Amino acid sequence: DEKIDIWSFGNNIYGLLTGLWVFYEDEDDGVVHKKMKKGETAFIDERYRTQSFISGKLVEVMERCWSYLPEDRIEIFEAVRMLRLAKEEYEKIKQEEGDVDNKKNKNKDQQQEEQQPSALAPLPEKG
């Protein structure tokens, strides 16, 4: 069933973010299964939402994968769309940051050039 696969995809995202398996504190599969049947999800430290743009977007996708009711879970195509949009947004942010950094560096270079005497100073006139 695709909806189970989506839930599992959310678990995989959790593992990528945290380096842990969901419900890592419970070694008994029966306990984990009961938690999931009750609608419990693994603990997500709030810092994952804000530590970086990418981790925040992954948390959003993961939570949509973990909707308790299968009919409320996103479909894989929606998850892919969300990840693509996040990638595009991240690239745009990085490009804008690069443009700002390049402009700062260009201004810095111009200031340094203005402050340094030219290596090709004009020759004195013969006379």
Side-chain angles (χ1 to χ4, degrees):
D1 181 5
E2 179 189 347
K3 296 300 182 170
I4 298 286
D5 294 339
I6 292 297
W7 185 278
S8 296
F9 183 61
N11 291 347
N12 290 328
I13 293 172
Y14 182 87
L16 289 170
L17 279 173
T18 66
L20 302 169
W21 184 245
V22 292
F23 302 115
Y24 59 89
E25 67 280 3
D26 295 311
E27 292 183 20
D28 183 346
D29 288 341
V31 172
V32 171
H33 190 70
K34 285 178 185 176
K35 285 183 174 186
M36 291 171 62
K37 277 191 150 194
K38 286 193 269 182
E40 290 183 41
T41 56
F43 172 73
I44 302 294
D45 190 314
E46 287 299 313
R47 291 175 286 187
Y48 287 112
R49 295 178 196 284
T50 58
Q51 78 180 11
S52 73
F53 174 83
I54 293 171
S55 65
K57 292 297 182 180
L58 286 172
V59 169
E60 288 176 22
V61 173
M62 179 180 60
E63 289 179 330
R64 297 277 313 273
C65 291
W66 281 352
S67 292
Y68 179 70
L69 296 174
E71 59 270 16
D72 292 342
R73 278 180 220 147
I74 61 174
E75 295 191 8
I76 191 63
F77 302 109
E78 177 65 12
V80 169
R81 188 186 73 74
M82 289 176 72
L83 292 170
R84 282 188 178 146
L85 288 174
K87 178 183 178 277
E88 290 169 8
E89 190 176 347
Y90 179 76
E91 288 172 345
K92 184 177 178 184
I93 290 167
K94 285 307 203 184
Q95 182 179 5
E96 290 171 357
E97 287 175 358
D99 290 345
V100 169
D101 288 344
N102 288 338
K103 190 172 184 178
K104 286 180 186 176
N105 288 337
K106 188 175 181 181
N107 288 339
K108 191 182 214 182
D109 290 344
Q110 285 176 336
Q111 289 174 349
Q112 287 175 348
E113 286 175 8
E114 291 169 1
Q115 293 172 357
Q116 294 177 351
S118 172
L120 298 175
L123 296 173
E125 290 186 27
K126 292 183 181 180

